[in-house]
Amino acid sequence: MISVKNLTKYYGDVHAIDNISFDIEHGEIVGILGPNGAGKSTTLRIITSFLSQTSGSIFIDNKDIENNQRSIKKIIGYLPESAPLYNDMIVYDYLVYIAKIQDVEADKIEERLEYVIKACSLAGVIEKSISTLSKGFKQRVGIAGSIIHNPKILILDEPTNGLDPNQIVEIRELIKSLGKEKTVLLSTHILSEVEATCGRVIIINKGKIITDSSTEDLILNKTGGVSILLSIKTNDNEDNIEKTLKNISTLQTIKFRDTQNGIKNITLFLKESSTDPRDEVYNLIKKTDWVIYEMSKEKEDLESIFRTLTKGDNHE
Ligand code: ADP
Ligand code: MG
């Protein structure tokens, strides 16, 4: 349905998008995840024809968007990063106005309004001025406007940015329900967002794709590991401690976090195993003169994987 091939974008010298390719099938809800400056908005602006690429191509329903802008705009709904709303307009008037801009046929406008008001739960605010609405309701109005022409594809740039926790939950529910009948591509810099809403996640950083997989697989495969938080008291230096701990069969990495009152706080990153790795760690330490002050096991979560994947790489 959406096919992005070798997309590259330079803003002057800034290499914002670096040769990215992906395909999105009908009915998917896909999240583009990345830190600020990763290139998310640029990618979405190009897909929606608001910006032209430096090179590469985009096909929607097998049509090259460059030569089919008019027909393709009809099947795409786009909510930009900061939804451009006309603050002094009444919600109802705004939606009628957007419907007209989007070429909704005059005799269909009423029907479409009814649909978006219901879908986005706007009945209670329809007569209000946009300026008086909460940020959450403004976002709903923005989403309502983006689907007024009944597009097959919905593209949302950081749709929950700046909302409070309740509003975030509500907008996510709205996106999920819209995702039942539309193909949705959204961007976010918040990992829990994709976990909550998207079946698939494309992680980008510095304009490059780092990972493209189902959200489930990402959690299963990439979070396969466990980490152990270990606090020990010993006079051994870090090299010697490391030498001893390297005997742990599932060990991947050792990180010395800090030393407090002579107690060394260490994180051990281990591969997933069928048995609890603490047994092995304990048996190993038993042979030394170290004193264990603390040992706890943590499952590696998506958040830490995301941080590892994109660590220190922010543009901004
Ligand atoms: P994201 O949406 O992931 O935060 P953007 O797509 O907005 O990232 O930006 C990607 C990179 O391109 C950043 O380094 C940003 O500073 C740069 N950039 C974005 N828009 C422009 C612009 N209009 N002119 C110059 N550089 C830009
Ligand atoms: Mg952005």
Side-chain angles (χ1 to χ4, degrees), residues 28 41 45 70 80 103 130 165 201 203 215 234 252 268 295 312:
E28 282 193 284
S41 297
R45 276 186 214 129
R70 225 180 116 74
D103 282 338
I130 292 174
V201 52
I203 300 184
T215 313
T234 169
Q252 290 181 306
L268 305 173
M295 177 157 66

Side-chain angles (χ1 to χ4, degrees), residues 129-178:
S129 165
I130 292 174
S131 61
T132 64
L133 302 183
S134 67
K135 208 152 183 245
F137 266 104
K138 281 186 182 160
Q139 199 66 341
R140 283 164 191 268
V141 174
I143 293 175
S146 71
I147 59 171
I148 194 96
H149 55 304
N150 200 13
K152 291 197 288 188
I153 299 170
L154 186 54
I155 295 186
L156 308 166
D157 198 353
E158 307 239 12
T160 62
N161 207 8
L163 303 184
D164 72 30
N166 289 329
Q167 295 166 340
I168 287 176
V169 171
E170 288 168 15
I171 295 295
R172 283 179 185 167
E173 288 306 317
L174 173 57
I175 293 169
K176 274 196 268 186
S177 76
L178 293 171

Side-chain angles (χ1 to χ4, degrees), residues 11 14 16 35-43 45 81 157-158 315-316:
Y11 293 104
V14 179
N36 285 334
K40 304 179 296 292
S41 297
T42 302
T43 305
R45 276 186 214 129
E81 205 160 9
D157 198 353
E158 307 239 12
H315 280 251
E316 289 159 348

Side-chain angles (χ1 to χ4, degrees), residues 228-239:
I228 290 198
L229 304 180
L230 182 67
S231 302
I232 51 169
K233 198 171 195 175
T234 169
N235 292 325
D236 283 359
N237 63 24
E238 292 190 358
D239 282 350

Side-chain angles (χ1 to χ4, degrees), residues 13 77 98 126 150 188 194 199 217 242-243 254 307:
D13 291 340
I98 297 296
I126 200 71
N150 200 13
T188 176
V194 289
D217 278 356
E242 187 160 347
K243 214 183 270 172
I254 298 172
R307 276 201 304 273

